[in-house]
Amino acid sequence: GRFLFHTAGITDGKQFSCASCHPDGGTDGITWKFVHVKDAFGREADRNARSLRGEIGDTAPFRWTGHDRTLDQFVDEELAGLLHSPPVSREDRQALVRYISTLPLNPNPYRQTDGSLTEAGQRGKALFA
């Protein structure tokens, strides 16, 4: 799954991979026009790529629109629609879904290893409250 996430070999033109827009499973911060999936009103929409971190496998629905009910469906539609990938085997798709499902959140820079707030985190909490 990790190899498939980072290889452009499974996509049309062999120029982009999942990691192109989701470096390290995160987000590239670029606004894209996603023409392969319309928004809730049937329009093309400019959107930022969302992070895939946080073990998202059980956080359905997926996509900005909530269109995809399973991570498997989301991966299928992204491969075919966005990356114009030729069909991948069921095993490869499942490996890719498993890999994406295990991407952890990055460590919180405002928490100590024991979970308590750092000094900066405490200042932020005080400002918020």
Side-chain angles (χ1 to χ4, degrees):
R2 182 172 187 255
F3 172 78
L4 293 170
F5 188 84
H6 290 89
T7 185
I10 63 170
T11 64
D12 185 41
K14 304 196 183 335
Q15 296 177 6
F16 298 99
S17 69
C18 301
S20 297
C21 298
H22 302 280
D24 250 356
T27 180
D28 61 4
I30 298 173
T31 300
W32 299 92
K33 184 171 289 293
F34 292 99
V35 298
H36 67 293
V37 177
K38 308 292 186 208
D39 72 7
F41 301 105
R43 301 173 301 195
E44 295 175 2
D46 295 338
R47 298 189 184 110
N48 290 348
R50 296 179 74 180
S51 176
L52 300 176
R53 293 192 152 278
E55 300 173 358
I56 66 167
D58 294 325
T59 63
F62 300 96
R63 193 175 302 284
W64 282 106
T65 60
H67 175 73
D68 298 320
R69 299 291 175 217
T70 66
L71 187 56
D72 197 59
Q73 181 184 8
F74 171 74
V75 167
D76 255 356
E77 289 195 16
E78 289 301 279
L79 288 173
L82 180 64
L83 298 174
H84 301 283
S85 172
V88 297
S89 71
R90 181 173 184 255
E91 293 80 17
D92 282 351
R93 187 180 66 253
Q94 287 177 338
L96 188 52
V97 168
R98 277 193 307 275
Y99 174 72
I100 292 169
S101 293
T102 63
L103 293 169
L105 286 173
N106 290 327
N108 185 334
Y110 302 104
R111 295 259 179 211
Q112 308 281 3
T113 54
D114 67 0
S116 63
L117 290 172
T118 63
E119 286 184 34
Q122 290 172 10
R123 288 192 307 272
K125 182 179 179 180
L127 285 172
F128 181 79

